[in-house]
Amino acid sequence: MTTRDLTELLESIGAGDGRLVHLEHVPARPGRQADWPAWADTDLVAAYHRTGITRPWTHQVEAAEALHAGHHTVLATGTGSGKSLAAWLPALSDVLTAQAEHPAPDGSQPRGGGRENVREKGRERVSALRQRPAVMYLAPTKALAADQAAGLERLVAALEAVQAEHCQECCHKRRQEPLPKHSHERDHEHSRPAGAGSTGPAVGLRTVRTGTCDGDTPMAERDWVRAHADVVLTNPDFLHFSLLPGHERWTRLLRGLRYVVVDECHAYRGVLGAHVALVLRRLLRLVRRLRPDGPQPVVLCASATAAEPALTAARLIGTEPSEVVTVSKDGAPAGQRSLALWQPALRDPWVVAAPADPGGPAALTDLSGLSGPGGPAGLSDPAALTDPEDTTARRSALVEASELTVDLLSVGARVLVFVRSRRSAEIVAERTRHTLGLSLPELAGTVAAYRGGYLPEERRALETDLRRGRLRALATTSALELGIDVTDLDAVVIAGWPGTRTSLSQQAGRAGRAGGRGLAVLIASDNPLDAYLVHHPEAVFASPEATVFDPANPYVLAPHLCAAASESPLRQEDLALFGLADESLLVELEERGALRRRPTGWFWNVTLPGRPQDLTSLRGDGPPAVPVVETGTGTVVGTVDGAAADSTVHEGAVYVHQGTVYVVEELTEEAAFVRQQAAVGYRTRARSRTSVRILAERERQEWVVPQDGGQPEDGLPGGRKESEAPAVAWSFGSVEVTSQVTGYSRLALPGMEVVSQHPLDMPERVLPTAATWWTLPRELCESAGLGDDVLPGALHAAEHAAIGILPLVATCDRWDIGGLSTALHPQTAQPTVFVHDGHAGGAGFAERGYRAGRQWLAATLGVIEQCGCTNGCPSCVQSPKCGNNNEPLDKQGAAALLRLLVQAAPPEGDAAKDHAAR
């Protein structure tokens, strides 16, 4: 129970010094209820009554009715609106009804014990199991699956308790009144309440057997789930790597599969979304092969409020949007929600250089071995890029989040803090505990971190402590964003823009989930997008984005076709399911030796080593993680992302892990070997070189820049026609990005001054991907005052700012994309800026930027113009992942360049018409 109104607390803290930029209030909303469907199992309805749900919300019934009628459904409602009930009501009702109609043997020995009776009983058991419907639940995280499993266990316990009470009442009546002789089955039929007769007679108590299967599940438990579970809770990774390739052992489940629940489907975007879509299509195809004449599974996609939910669901499962029922009118009640936009306090110049500050330069490489959605940890706070004398610099969002959490805890609030990386979670938790230890020591033990990398039992213990109130504050990555039911949270603090408005809604919705009031605070971190959003509330509170992913990406699709062929031969009728217009990709895979064509279809070439499922990873196709091994002891200190190994654990790099400092002695293909050193007075930063080769220009627009404020009627100034005027080329297509780490710098502590440069001989890395790029004639640049002396810095700064702002128009993270700028590209022969996807084959992000060119460029210009710094800072043009140490950069030149582009860019509608005409 809080002792003070939290919005008043925020205003008292941040209104005076400008930290509280905007406070948005969403009024409370009453709930709208509906009657239970007539087909719902009566005992299951009674079980829901026991758990406190007397009547469902309208959206729950609407979605449940659609599912029960056999329609694929997408349920897109707010956080905490009870989407699970919409899935479990029809699915569990069917399971229970099947048990009543086809009771399995009760386990007693048949009379006489003869062999024929045993055989007959075995046939009855197999028949009953085959007729029993099954449900598969897919979650993007293990934590969410565990949360759903716990909720199901409570519901099943209530279901069994309801039936046990009915049996006790029946037995009591039999003792009190003489009853005519009748079978055991009739006893239990009469014991159920009125209206339950439609479910048929049952032997004993009906129940629902649930089980979880993921990478943490012991083999014995997997065997039990395979043989007995009615509801299997898993994730797409287990489906891809284990269940589908071993589908012969899962025949019982697949033959009986009636419902597939895809929870938090909005989380599947980009390359991950493409992979998951293909895994789901493989699953549905396999069930169709095993049960060609029976009813096919019905899919429920549960999503946060998002744009075009039917289109997203249809692309996930390989069907048409018209075949998906959309339920988006939320009937659940909601308390008043408040969302504050907050900028950190101005940084004290003395603090910037202090190595003890977890958000300061000393932490720059702190997270070399722990990375998350925010990119390589330790780079989330760009303090090292900030001029110590810049009076406009603000302190780290992590420091601000820690202090704000302490303020909220001091008035009795329960708080969840979302951060962008694993290390950031540890930093916020440790700093919060330290501050509480000085002021409120009794609360220091109620703060913890929750992130990937913990053991399963550690994660479960933290989840339990949070639900039971033993923890008052938890600093976490997005692992707790997705649906975990934690009630009685008063406030959520979000350190840095979470990437999309959908994610912001999910994270902010953790507060006040029980229908009470909730407060969320979005703290702007030091990057261009955050700087833009915190001063543009209309962009924060606009409609949610559409989910972007491309299952037709050949780099993603090809290995899934190989996996599908190994599970069941690919046939002509499968082409449409996988989005193939013809057989050309299959023929190419056949020519490469991956597939073999036979009269009955395409088969996986079993003579090849390994499994086709191992050709790809759902969560990224980069190189595997590199272990960091201490040379003297052979101890594995940690791991680093394979794609980041060259830049973080190269020879001579400083690697900091949980406060212990190591220096890398050698990097091999197998591991990075390090040696602990007690006093290292420097940190390291890698330098890299990147080039981009255009493979194919798929689309192109030409933008003519208005001269002298517009065009006269008889043509352009100077007597030139429009066709002769210099034009900006705005392009999208396929590119090949080649990068190489060429050396590193040593930066002295505490000021992070460069004291020495060291060359490295590292291999080149080649990435085929998709990009948007624009080229500008030199005469246009010169007319804007951008000569050869400032043009490289202007292009470089514009590139950084554009990359930072792209997530505003595409559902991506800054670390999902990359870029290159050059004053003279060898193929275009012009000044050129590239922004490319960071995944092989592309992920759809650069293409989304191409489609929204004017909006993207205008927002980028706005960030630069509104930033108060003089020469550029992390909030406008500096990048925490620049391979050239942010040199050269020209902020004013970038603004001039972007003004030129915005003037030339046509309105969005005109651009689309121009593209169609071409």
Side-chain angles (χ1 to χ4, degrees), residues 63-129:
E65 292 279 16
L67 277 176
H68 187 259
H71 302 299
H72 298 310
T73 305
V74 58
L75 178 55
T77 54
T79 304
S81 58
K83 290 186 278 285
S84 299
L85 184 145
W88 300 136
L89 185 62
L92 302 190
S93 289
D94 281 7
V95 171
L96 295 169
T97 299
Q99 290 180 52
E101 294 175 348
H102 306 283
D106 60 5
S108 59
Q109 291 293 327
R111 285 176 293 186
R115 182 174 300 176
E116 295 302 320
N117 286 339
V118 172
R119 288 177 180 171
E120 183 63 27
K121 181 183 176 185
R123 283 193 291 268
E124 291 174 2
R125 180 183 293 110
V126 171
S127 174
L129 288 175

Side-chain angles (χ1 to χ4, degrees), residues 685-703:
R685 184 187 299 151
R687 301 191 314 275
S688 63
R689 176 176 59 211
T690 303
S691 63
V692 176
R693 182 165 69 95
I694 300 171
L695 301 178
E697 186 179 51
R698 302 184 207 168
E699 298 185 33
R700 176 188 177 96
Q701 301 173 24
E702 290 190 354
W703 301 346

Side-chain angles (χ1 to χ4, degrees), residues 40-47 49 159 161-170 173 186-202 205-206:
D41 183 87
T42 315
D43 288 340
L44 181 61
V45 170
H49 275 262
L159 172 68
V162 165
Q163 294 177 89
E165 287 182 359
H166 294 332
C167 288
Q168 290 175 359
E169 293 174 3
C170 177
K173 290 179 179 179
R186 296 287 298 171
D187 284 342
H188 283 282
E189 182 182 1
H190 284 295
S191 72
R192 289 194 298 275
S198 60
T199 62
L205 300 183
R206 298 177 303 151

Side-chain angles (χ1 to χ4, degrees), residues 646 688-695 735-742 762-769 819-820 825 827 834 836-837:
D646 285 358
S688 63
R689 176 176 59 211
T690 303
S691 63
V692 176
R693 182 165 69 95
I694 300 171
L695 301 178
V735 299
E736 186 177 78
V737 181
T738 302
S739 59
Q740 181 184 27
V741 174
T742 59
M762 306 289 285
E764 289 186 341
R765 309 294 182 185
V766 179
L767 175 72
T769 187
L820 173 76
H825 190 268
Q827 290 174 279
F834 293 87
H836 62 80
D837 291 339

Side-chain angles (χ1 to χ4, degrees), residues 88 91-99 102 104 128-137 152 156 159-160 205-212 224-233 250 252-261:
W88 300 136
L92 302 190
S93 289
D94 281 7
V95 171
L96 295 169
T97 299
Q99 290 180 52
H102 306 283
L129 288 175
R130 285 180 176 174
Q131 293 170 338
R132 190 160 170 164
V135 186
M136 181 179 292
Y137 169 89
L152 270 178
V156 172
L159 172 68
E160 293 175 348
L205 300 183
R206 298 177 303 151
T207 189
V208 178
R209 298 180 295 231
T210 67
T212 300
W224 184 92
V225 171
R226 207 161 33 228
H228 302 292
D230 301 310
V231 180
V232 177
L233 300 101
W250 292 87
R252 179 200 65 84
L253 174 74
L254 295 174
R255 285 187 184 276
L257 192 61
R258 296 293 187 274
Y259 295 92
V260 178
V261 182

Side-chain angles (χ1 to χ4, degrees), residues 14 58 179 232 256 275 291 352 430 444 452 471 551 622 779 830 850 865 916:
T58 51
L179 294 175
V232 177
H275 279 299
R291 197 175 64 235
V352 174
E430 181 58 35
L471 287 176
E779 56 185 295
Q830 301 280 8
Y850 175 81
E865 290 182 330

